[in-house]
Amino acid sequence: MSSTPSLNIRRVLGDETDSDPNIQLLPSSPSTKPSSKYSVKDEIHIFDGRNTPQNISVYGFLLGMVCSAGIMFAILSDSHIPQFGIFLAALSLFHFLEYIATALFNADKLSLDSYLINHSAHYHAAHAAALIEFLVEYYLFPSYKTFGWINYAGLLLVIVGQACRTIAMFSCRHNFSHHIVDYKENDHVLVQHGIYSVMRHPSYFGFYWWAIGVQVLLINPVCLGLFVYWLQKFFSERIQYEEHTLHRFFGQEWINYKSKTPTLMPFIA
């Protein structure tokens, strides 16, 4: 009677292997190799512009920190320039509310870009210029930046502008988009109630006066002039294009709405 042939199998019992001479142990296959300590899921990617939960959570956390720091500086600091803290709080709150409004009513469009932090290089340059002007003028002419009635006027514009933009986004709900769309979706309607019954493009109106209010708040005469010019040019072109699209979408309904509802923005009919 022939002997039993060797079994080409691998048997593992806890930390020990069977020592039967008729059992041959095969080399570990790639699928059975011990996994490495870190996997792709363990990699950390932040500030790389990708739409990941890591980036979204970090951006939200940092905006909250900046807003809190700005409020504390404005209230608790002995400095006579609380407008600097108010500016930081207003800027971070603006971006945070953009994301919140999108999350509530346009979850399918929600992304890292919904914060509008990565708006454009021009946007970043504008705020950088505003900060530089404020700090340089404060260093050279500190008394010129003392908080007074001009700052209160700027703060009022910031509050009104932010309120109008946020109310507009909440009124428009799923019809609101940060980008002008070139096609009409089935559920896309022409919003004419609430703040939209008072003015066309209230979200643009809100940002227009918010941005100007920030420069008045900081008492930045140079940037104030530049912001007015840039905002006027930007919104004139954008509104013209968007209204052409709305006319194509809604026809006579849009014409009737436009004829009775102003923009309330200077030099933009």
Side-chain angles (χ1 to χ4, degrees), residues 79-100:
S79 171
H80 60 280
I81 52 168
Q83 63 266 40
F84 181 72
I86 297 173
F87 163 71
L88 294 178
L91 182 62
S92 55
L93 182 62
F94 167 80
H95 288 289
F96 184 73
L97 289 175
E98 294 294 305
Y99 187 87
I100 288 296

Side-chain angles (χ1 to χ4, degrees), residues 34-186:
S35 60
S36 60
K37 186 176 181 181
Y38 298 103
S39 67
V40 175
K41 293 182 179 180
D42 294 320
E43 295 179 2
I44 298 176
H45 296 282
I46 57 175
F47 305 120
D48 58 1
R50 294 195 295 177
N51 184 38
T52 63
Q54 295 167 334
N55 274 323
I56 290 173
S57 59
V58 169
Y59 277 37
F61 172 77
L62 291 179
L63 286 174
M65 291 291 290
V66 172
C67 185
S68 300
I71 293 174
M72 291 179 65
F73 180 87
I75 296 176
L76 303 178
S77 174
D78 293 332
S79 171
H80 60 280
I81 52 168
Q83 63 266 40
F84 181 72
I86 297 173
F87 163 71
L88 294 178
L91 182 62
S92 55
L93 182 62
F94 167 80
H95 288 289
F96 184 73
L97 289 175
E98 294 294 305
Y99 187 87
I100 288 296
T102 306
L104 288 174
F105 306 117
N106 279 301
D108 57 325
K109 300 177 183 177
L110 192 65
S111 70
L112 184 66
D113 290 337
S114 299
Y115 281 116
L116 288 191
I117 293 177
N118 301 321
H119 183 279
S120 66
H122 294 89
Y123 179 79
H124 297 157
H127 284 302
L131 275 176
I132 291 172
E133 180 184 355
F134 175 81
L135 294 174
V136 169
E137 290 176 352
Y138 175 66
Y139 178 78
L140 297 176
F141 316 104
S143 61
Y144 175 66
K145 296 292 186 179
T146 302
F147 201 88
W149 68 268
I150 295 179
N151 306 95
Y152 282 111
L155 178 59
L156 179 61
L157 287 176
V158 169
I159 293 173
V160 170
Q162 182 65 73
C164 287
R165 182 166 177 86
T166 302
I167 291 172
M169 295 178 72
F170 275 63
S171 298
C172 211
R173 294 180 176 262
H174 71 276
N175 295 285
F176 185 87
S177 174
H178 283 132
H179 305 283
I180 298 176
V181 295
D182 292 319
Y183 59 91
K184 183 178 181 294
E185 298 182 358
N186 294 331

